Amino acid sequence: EEIFPANCDGRDEEDGPGGLAAVCETVRRSGVDERAREVLIAISNRNILSMLSLYMEGVRRAGVRHSVVVTLDAATTKHVQQHGGVTLAHEHVLRAKGGGTDGHSTSGLKFRLLVPWLKVGCNVLLSDVDVVYLRDPFQSSPPLLHRDSDVEAMTDGWSDETAYGWHMALLAASEPSAD
């Protein structure tokens, strides 16, 4: 039987502070079901804390049990820890090429932050914080998710690379070969 979460001893810098061990710890604390391995992930920084609060309250009211906010700064981590309810914080650093850390600078780069979650074996529903959940998308009938990929997401990227993460070899590995 496959171990979940997996690869918990990885320590690559690209996997964020604490490496995959920190991601595995967040997965364990969130109570992600070992069979479905599904987690709702939003990415946020301190610039939108009021919107983030509304998002976390909506997640709680919808009954979503496996929710994580990947936080981009200490202020957001603290906010999620104090107000998140069932939503856990997992801090990671993301900077655009120009050094910016605001939402517009980093939005198209968010797929990079999902790689550690895929490495440990999670199936990810990536959400923006301006989404309102009326019910748990993992438990809905009829199903709201296709469950035909490791990541299901909405995006406001501006190119194939930033909108769909096509530049990420880990995400594109299952595409058919042109051979």
Side-chain angles (χ1 to χ4, degrees), residues 91-115:
E91 194 166 330
H92 198 116
V93 177
L94 180 66
R95 294 196 186 287
K97 284 184 180 178
T101 60
D102 65 348
H104 293 292
S105 297
T106 60
S107 180
L109 304 175
K110 61 189 167 193
F111 292 100
R112 289 183 186 173
L113 299 179
L114 302 181
V115 172

Side-chain angles (χ1 to χ4, degrees), residues 4 26-39 65-68 117 122-123:
F4 177 76
T26 302
V27 167
R28 288 185 194 105
R29 287 185 315 143
S30 72
V32 172
D33 181 276
E34 290 187 24
R35 285 169 286 147
R37 301 176 178 194
E38 296 172 320
V39 63
R65 295 174 299 187
H66 312 117
S67 174
V68 173
W117 300 87
C122 288
N123 296 314

Side-chain angles (χ1 to χ4, degrees), residues 40-42 50-60 67-69 87 127-133:
L40 175 66
I41 293 181
S50 61
M51 189 183 312
L52 178 59
S53 292
L54 292 172
Y55 168 82
M56 292 185 300
E57 178 62 18
V59 166
R60 185 191 64 75
S67 174
V68 173
V69 174
T87 301
S127 179
D128 287 342
V129 298
D130 58 356
V131 173
V132 175
Y133 290 94

